[in-house]
Amino acid sequence: MSAATPLPHTFPPTTAGVLERKPTLDHDEDVKLEETNALTEIPTTAWADLTIKEAVKTFRKTTIVCVAVLFIACSDGFQFSLPGNLLNLEPYKLQLVSLSTRSMLELGTARTLLDISQPSLYLLTGLMIIACIIETIARDWRVWLAAKILNGMSVGLCQMTLSSYVAEVAPVRIRGSLLVVYSFFFSFGQFTAAIATYVLQSGFQEDRAYLRVIYSMWVFTAISLAVTVFVPESPRWYLRVGKREKAVKVLQRLNGKIPGYDIERELNFMSYELTGELNMLAESAKVSYFDLFRGPNLRRTLVSFSVLGWQQCIGIAIVYGNSAIFFRAAGLANPFLGTVIINLLSLVVIFTSSYLVERFGRRPLLLIGGCGMVSCLIIIGSMGFLSTAGPNGGVVGGVTVAFMCIWVIFYTSSAGPCGYLLLGESPTSRLRAKTTGFAAAMSGVFGLIFSYTSPLMILNTGRGWGIKTAYLFAGTGFIGLVLVYFFVPEHKGRTFAELDEMYENRIPARKFRSTVTSAEQAKEVARNAATAPA
């Protein structure tokens, strides 16, 4: 990284790899967020240079709070997998019309994310409880569909609220790792749904035996309620709405006992980042959804949506959403066992992804993982040309499970965790709720399409494609991979202020990693001054 000599806010024109601080991002204006005059230097956090291990150890309490909040994602994963698992059971198909319930889940998700701009954990938990009650008492498919719409709303709020909360509360050094934990708990919820269905499948010939699986959802709902009651509000949110004293109390509660922790310095750093975001929106009378498509925010909105949408296009509808019927189409004797295997594998691999995203960055993982997933889908789809009956039956099922597992390894190391990671990192702080809501809603629209059509394509009736359905996702996944290469930048190790600066200056996605920001230049100036001889 090249050294810089100019003082902050007086940088020369952009040269190779060095970023010019545009006038629109100068922070020497009066803003309500800070009751101070012009900034004479760029504030920094004192904890940016910690290793991941040191950051977790130092910010133990904050880490525990973030992990506790992210545990709510277990319900998200459970609800996503439940309809596909139950669809494979004949009594359930006759009673509750599962093909439609998955679509209602996705529709509820998209609808909620578009309508609610400031979601709360209380609303999220309340919707979970109401949905669980309705599902428990549902005896008619219409009542069940109503419950799934509410489930979709809670899932949508889950996607939007949790990533935004962790992005604002987590220390910069471990923000990426903690956001990846969302994917772990999502996978854990899917694994739990698969285990519950697998264990209880022998009794599903009994009337309404599916309720035993539904009852298990109450465990996640009860824990989510407990978490909601005890976690604090985001200090950045308090700063944004002018409640500085409350922000101080939250930081004191979370980090007050850390030796050397300077609350005022950290608040100034947060205020500096928020000030830049406010300045970029100074021409807007108020924040609205239209702001998502103005100037640099349009690009940030698309980046927030890109990987989540890609997830839907690259096969999660068949690997996670409808794996049981997909494995049955592949001739697997016990399709639920295959579902348990891939969900267990997801849990194991997701542990490593927290390290990988901070070690190698988001962009390399997405590109390598995307190539791997597309290749696996092509191989799986090719198995559809072999008959599942006779001597080839075991081969088709075995190869399908094997490459499905390889797909899971690539997915849980790339698109899975990075989708929610970019969802939390890409938006500006002021627009984070609306941006994440819109992005996840558009992903829900994609999910609505694929969740409804995938089972119809897989089922070997009429003109069903069977496991050749994987070819469709290989094609759409490849298109998404090309778009990721050209449009998704690297956010590794960047503060929100640095991201604001690079998006404002329209730095190409491929150059985000090598670009030197004004904050880095200022740090280099300070380092040179400290080491210069007297």
Side-chain angles (χ1 to χ4, degrees), residues 364-378:
L365 292 180
L366 288 172
L367 297 177
I368 295 172
C371 292
M373 285 184 286
V374 170
S375 300
C376 288
L377 290 171
I378 292 174

Side-chain angles (χ1 to χ4, degrees), residues 10-277:
T10 59
F11 298 116
T14 303
T15 58
V18 180
L19 182 63
E20 176 190 11
R21 186 73 162 181
K22 284 195 173 183
T24 54
L25 285 179
D26 284 344
H27 298 274
D28 48 1
E29 300 177 9
D30 263 346
V31 291
K32 294 182 180 179
L33 194 63
E34 281 292 316
E35 297 177 357
T36 58
N37 294 324
L39 293 173
T40 58
E41 61 180 13
I42 297 178
T44 59
T45 175
W47 310 94
D49 296 328
L50 295 177
T51 65
I52 296 177
K53 183 178 180 180
E54 290 171 341
V56 171
K57 183 178 180 180
T58 302
F59 294 93
R60 289 187 298 271
K61 197 168 184 179
T62 301
T63 301
I64 292 172
V65 167
C66 290
V67 171
V69 169
L70 290 170
F71 184 84
I72 299 175
C74 289
S75 178
D76 191 344
F78 191 103
Q79 289 292 347
F80 182 83
S81 294
L82 182 63
N85 288 336
L86 295 183
L87 177 60
N88 202 45
L89 301 164
E90 190 65 25
Y92 175 78
K93 286 192 288 184
L94 296 176
Q95 293 179 53
L96 295 179
V97 197
S98 183
L99 278 174
S100 298
T101 62
R102 168 58 63 79
S103 299
M104 291 302 103
L105 175 63
E106 299 286 357
L107 179 60
T109 301
R111 183 65 179 169
T112 301
L113 291 170
L114 286 172
D115 285 350
I116 300 178
S117 59
Q118 294 183 347
S120 71
L121 293 176
Y122 285 103
L123 179 58
L124 163 61
T125 307
L127 287 173
M128 282 184 184
I129 293 173
I130 296 173
C132 284
I133 293 174
I134 296 176
E135 284 183 339
T136 302
I137 65 175
R139 299 297 182 268
D140 180 84
W141 70 270
R142 298 174 186 84
V143 180
W144 176 263
L145 290 183
K148 298 316 292 181
I149 293 177
L150 292 176
N151 274 139
M153 292 180 177
S154 68
V155 168
L157 284 173
C158 187
Q159 293 174 341
M160 178 165 56
T161 306
L162 304 191
S163 60
S164 295
Y165 182 91
V166 172
E168 295 193 348
V169 173
V172 172
R173 190 66 186 90
I174 56 174
R175 183 183 65 212
S177 297
L178 286 174
L179 284 171
V180 169
V181 175
Y182 182 101
S183 294
F184 171 78
F185 283 129
F186 184 92
S187 297
F188 183 77
Q190 292 178 309
F191 176 69
T192 304
I195 286 290
T197 311
Y198 176 71
V199 170
L200 298 174
Q201 63 178 313
S202 60
F204 268 95
Q205 298 305 317
E206 303 173 14
D207 187 41
R208 306 193 190 284
Y210 63 87
L211 288 173
R212 299 174 188 174
V213 180
I214 295 173
Y215 294 152
S216 61
M217 289 191 301
W218 282 101
V219 175
F220 295 134
T221 302
I223 296 176
S224 299
L225 179 60
V227 169
T228 300
V229 172
F230 290 106
V231 298
E233 181 57 86
S234 161
R236 287 178 183 268
W237 184 84
Y238 278 134
L239 281 177
R240 198 178 303 123
V241 297
K243 298 181 179 180
R244 186 181 178 89
E245 292 183 359
K246 291 189 175 182
V248 170
K249 292 180 180 179
V250 172
L251 291 177
Q252 181 68 39
R253 174 182 170 185
L254 294 177
N255 307 320
K257 295 183 180 180
I258 298 176
Y261 188 85
D262 187 340
I263 291 180
E264 285 302 317
R265 175 175 177 175
E266 298 304 316
L267 281 176
N268 287 338
F269 173 65
M270 294 180 189
S271 299
Y272 168 75
E273 293 189 320
L274 293 173
T275 299
E277 294 160 2

Side-chain angles (χ1 to χ4, degrees), residues 339-408:
T339 301
V340 170
I341 290 173
I342 62 173
N343 282 283
L344 178 60
L345 184 61
S346 294
L347 286 176
V348 174
V349 178
I350 203 69
F351 274 115
T352 65
S353 63
S354 297
Y355 167 78
L356 293 175
V357 295
E358 295 296 352
R359 175 65 178 84
F360 299 105
R362 291 70 162 144
R363 186 176 165 84
L365 292 180
L366 288 172
L367 297 177
I368 295 172
C371 292
M373 285 184 286
V374 170
S375 300
C376 288
L377 290 171
I378 292 174
I379 295 173
I380 292 171
S382 299
M383 291 296 101
F385 291 101
L386 300 178
S387 173
T388 57
N392 290 330
V395 174
V396 173
V399 171
T400 300
V401 172
F403 279 93
M404 194 78 86
C405 289
I406 297 174
W407 184 99
V408 166

Side-chain angles (χ1 to χ4, degrees), residues 1-4 12-20 507 511 513-517 521:
M1 187 175 296
S2 60
T14 303
T15 58
V18 180
L19 182 63
E20 176 190 11
I507 301 300
K511 295 183 179 180
R513 192 162 192 166
S514 60
T515 296
V516 179
T517 64
Q521 294 185 34

